[in-house]
Each structure stands twice: as structure tokens, then as C-alpha cells.
Amino acid sequence: MYTAVDEIMKGLPEEYSGILLPAIRQEFIKSGKTIVVLDDDPTGTQTCYDVVVLTAWRVPLIVAELQKKPSILFILTNSRSLPEKAAVHLAMEIGMNLLKAVKESGRDIVVISRSDSTLRGHFPAEVDALANALDMTDAFRVLIPAFIEGGRFTINDIHYIREENQLIPVADTPFAKDLAFGYSHSNLKEWVNEKTRGRVPSNEVVSISLDELRLGGPEAVSERLSQCLPGQVCIANACSLRDLEVLVMGLMLAEKSRIKFLYRTSATFISIRAGISPGKFFTPESENMKRANGSLVVVGSYVPKTTRQLIYLLKLGSHKAIEINVSDLLHVKDHSDYRDRVILETEQWITSGNDVVIYTSRDLQVGIDAESSLEINGVVSAFLVSVINRLKARPAFIVAKGGITSSDIVTKALKAEKALILGQIIPGVPVWRIDSESKFPDILFVVFPGNVGDDLALAEVCNRFKF
């Protein structure tokens, strides 16, 4: 049995009482900076709105956006789909492009490496590569995986996932068994030691406690950070938006003493760092959705939560279903006939006004190690991309389930270099408007993380677009 949420929460100090977000916003505007988020899959946009996402990182493209002086700019790297060596190379490339873009645009930046709130991703390799490329090797690495909207809390250095009324240590969840990014520790100090293969001992990891956040406030946080050594790793506890507000104000106070920070965070921190309240709900407008064609849902994520959501959707019978047999994909080199059959069936249904769900078979296929498992994911994703890239019928809207699936569809199938985040359709599930130069200009695209929502959530999202 795990501890009930209420039992843990009632043992914590009361939240800091001061209202901080307006002051954070004022300080942020005064700094004249843009927060640039390098997102290792597109689900990091799940708390933002009215923010541009770039899916390419050419210097002129970044410069053009920085010259508009936005508060936040996302660059989608999709690096979680890559082997570590390739992810490091990509981080170096983007980091160097950012340096050039800052010089050409005259706009200073704050860099956040956004990754999964369940601790899956290339840490510390990706962050270290960014530090080298940005000439920030002496910057403190601040690790903030708390994702408040999704029930991911860090308490007494232990990272938890909320499931119904229980808090489960993250190492006891299916996410910790990920073949590419698995781990065995829920205590973040020990997790850092594990991920750095002992290079950073757990007793050398600095921790910002909830006592410091709630009883000491921003000044206590700043004082704690001032004791850190260059390049040291700092973890932050948090289980509310106010905790993160206090943390951000403390970080900003510390920055005035010329302390540099390089962030590795979940989605919640991003908006608060800019002094913006996270989360804005998006309501589709009926005049934009009255189309003869049906919609398209693509499910690539294989985590248990996604499978339960898919099963519920299929039971409703609201969607024509096409299952992609992953085993067949892996044992046949030429997929063209199979692909063409899927395209034909999808086209016929969509143009007849039917909603369609294309999903991968649920029997998980794995490799002998992390790299070969990622290669299998790549084969599956490439097949889904090839189907959507060849579709002629424009769906009413597209829902993509899973981070890698979402990223590959946007960049490789829809050929989009830019999108606008409109807000959340349900908590933690953002809607993008894809740019006018893409395969389906201005189409609404739902980025649905694999690990978000209850069993009814996928069906609920689809229903929100119905008129």
C-alpha cells in the first residue's frame, strides 16, 4: 500500500503566503530575456499558450522569432527518440545555433531543457552538451521534475506520481521500467548519482527543501543557491504552483549575484519562470470545425495508461479502427503494400465523414538493449509517418498519442517548421495550430502525452471537437 495524498500533504508546512507571480513577471520583463525551451518531445508545451514552437533550428529561423521579443520560445528537438550519442550531437548543434542567434538578434535568453516528468530522457548527457555549447559549464544544473497539473510531486527529495488518491514513488511505476531510460531510485539525489554513474555522488547534490520554500521564502532559496559550487546539481522539491513561484523568485534573486543556471525541468516550471500563470483552456470554435471529413487519431504510445484509454475509445465504437501490427513491420523489409492498404482504408473512411483511429498493436516489441529498442520505435514511427505523409484527404483535426509519435507526425509527415500553442483541450493536453506552409495548412493538432489523463481522456478529447 502507498501513502494517501492527503496524509502526506497534511504533514507539510503551509504554503508560502505571499503573492509572487506579478513580481516575477515584472522582474522577467525588466530582464529583457526570452526563455528558450529545448523540448525533447512536444508534450512540454502542455502548460503554455500563445507561444510559438519551432520544429527546426536554423539560425535565421531562431533569429526571426527572437527579434519579436517573445517571453517564451519552444524548439522541438525530439531528442528522446534518439540514442544518447545522437542526442548529445543535436544538443551541441542547437546550442551553438542559439549562441549565434542571440548575437544576431541582440536578445538574451534563459535556456530550459524540458524533459519528462517521469524522469525519462538523456540526463545528464544532454544537459552537459548544452552547457558546453553555450559556454555555461560553470552553471548550476537545476533539476525540477515536478509537474503539478499531472500529479508529479517532489517531497523530501522523493519524486512521486499521483494515481487516484495515492502517491506512488516514481521508481515503482511502469515509467521506471522503460528499456531506454529506466532507473531504480525515486530519491532524486540517488537518481542523479545513478544517472551520472557515480560521477555526482548523492551527498554532493544540493536540495531545495519544502521547508525552505514554504517557511523561508525566496530569500532562503537564494541563500541556499549561493552556497552551491559551479557546475553543481541542485534538485528542487515542489508540490504546488506556489512552491514553484517561490523557487523562481529565489532563482531570480540569485541571478542578480551573477549565478548562472541551466534548467532541466518538466512543463509547469516554464510559464512560471516567465511570470505567467500556467494553463489556458482552448475551446474549438464550431465555424472552424464544420467539415465534411472525419478526424484522425494516431496512437503510438505503448504505456499502460494509453492502452486503457485506447480500449475505452474502441469500445465506444465512435471511430473506425485500423491496427498496425508491429511484429509484421519488424519482420518485413518492404512495407509499401501494407502502407498503401492502410492509406486507402483511411482515405475512404475520412472522406465519408467517419472518424478514424490508427493504432499500433499493444504487444510491446523490445530490443536487447536501449539502442535497439529505440530503433524499433523508429521503425514503427516511420511507418506511421509514411501513412500520414501520403494522405490526400485532410482530416477535420488530428490527435497524436505519445510524444515521439506527435513529434514525428508534425515534423516528418506534416512538414511543419512552426506552430502556435493555443492552450489545453483538457489539463495537460495542448492544442497546436500548425503553420500555413505545412501539408494541411492551419490544421488543429492535439499533442496528447502518453502518461496524461484518466481512462476516458482520449474519448473526451475527441468529443470536445464535436458540434
Side-chain angles (χ1 to χ4, degrees), residues 186-405:
S186 301
N187 183 296
L188 291 184
K189 288 185 172 183
E190 296 173 357
W191 182 85
V192 170
N193 175 259
E194 178 182 358
K195 286 298 177 178
T196 61
R197 298 181 178 89
R199 177 171 59 83
V200 180
S202 56
N203 62 358
E204 292 183 7
V205 178
V206 177
S207 169
I208 304 295
S209 69
L210 285 172
D211 280 357
E212 286 169 314
L213 291 166
R214 297 186 169 196
L215 302 178
E219 292 77 12
V221 173
S222 179
E223 176 64 25
R224 184 80 170 116
L225 291 168
S226 69
Q227 300 169 8
C228 295
L229 299 173
Q232 198 164 12
V233 178
C234 174
I235 65 170
N237 288 270
C239 55
S240 73
L241 296 179
R242 183 58 55 84
D243 291 339
L244 291 174
E245 291 169 15
V246 176
L247 175 66
V248 167
M249 184 58 83
L251 288 161
M252 295 176 90
L253 288 174
E255 281 182 336
K256 291 183 177 180
S257 302
R258 299 187 180 279
I259 298 175
K260 297 180 181 178
F261 299 107
L262 189 55
Y263 301 101
R264 179 75 162 188
T265 84
S266 74
T268 307
F269 177 81
I270 295 166
S271 293
I272 295 175
R273 180 61 182 80
I276 300 170
S277 180
K280 170 187 173 184
F281 285 98
F282 169 74
T283 302
E285 297 177 3
S286 58
E287 61 268 24
N288 294 331
M289 299 305 303
K290 289 181 179 177
R291 297 194 180 100
N293 288 353
S295 65
L296 176 63
V297 178
V298 184
V299 180
S301 170
Y302 57 83
V303 298
K305 179 167 284 190
T306 290
T307 298
R308 295 195 300 271
Q309 292 168 346
L310 174 64
I311 289 171
Y312 181 82
L313 181 71
L314 294 176
K315 282 182 178 178
L316 292 177
S318 57
H319 286 66
K320 299 293 187 180
I322 302 174
E323 181 180 21
I324 307 302
N325 190 306
V326 174
S327 180
D328 287 351
L329 292 183
L330 298 178
H331 293 95
V332 177
K333 289 186 177 180
D334 186 356
H335 302 144
S336 56
D337 287 345
Y338 189 9
R339 177 200 66 210
D340 291 345
R341 291 198 303 272
V342 172
I343 292 171
L344 178 62
E345 196 169 16
T346 304
E347 292 270 6
Q348 289 174 340
W349 276 333
I350 285 179
T351 54
S352 299
N354 291 294
D355 298 318
V356 177
V357 55
I358 300 174
Y359 65 95
T360 53
S361 53
R362 299 289 92 186
D363 51 330
L364 180 60
Q365 303 288 323
V366 298
I368 59 174
D369 55 22
E371 189 160 334
S372 59
S373 293
L374 286 172
E375 288 176 359
I376 290 173
N377 293 345
V379 170
V380 177
S381 185
F383 182 83
L384 295 174
V385 165
S386 70
V387 169
I388 297 163
N389 184 248
R390 289 169 173 79
L391 278 183
K392 294 179 181 177
R394 175 187 171 118
F397 59 90
I398 299 175
V399 178
K401 195 73 167 73
I404 294 172
T405 302

Side-chain angles (χ1 to χ4, degrees), residues 146-166:
F147 172 39
I148 308 306
E149 297 85 350
R152 317 287 198 255
F153 307 136
T154 308
I155 302 170
N156 296 327
D157 299 339
I158 296 173
H159 197 51
Y160 293 96
I161 291 180
R162 179 173 184 160
E163 290 289 350
E164 296 181 350
N165 195 40
Q166 291 185 322

Side-chain angles (χ1 to χ4, degrees), residues 41-110:
D41 83 0
T43 63
T45 62
Q46 60 202 148
T47 63
C48 292
Y49 54 92
D50 299 332
V51 171
V52 167
V53 183
L54 299 180
T55 66
W57 38 89
R58 292 178 286 105
V59 173
L61 194 63
I62 301 173
V63 169
E65 292 304 319
L66 289 180
Q67 287 176 335
K68 299 174 186 176
K69 300 181 180 180
S71 293
I72 301 170
L73 174 65
F74 273 82
I75 298 177
L76 174 58
T77 71
N78 201 32
S79 56
R80 206 184 308 168
S81 69
L82 303 175
E84 183 175 292
K85 186 176 180 180
V88 166
H89 178 79
L90 181 59
M92 289 290 292
E93 178 186 343
I94 296 175
M96 289 187 287
N97 284 7
L98 275 175
L99 276 183
K100 294 176 183 176
V102 165
K103 185 176 180 179
E104 291 185 26
S105 67
R107 182 74 170 175
D108 202 2
I109 62 173
V110 175

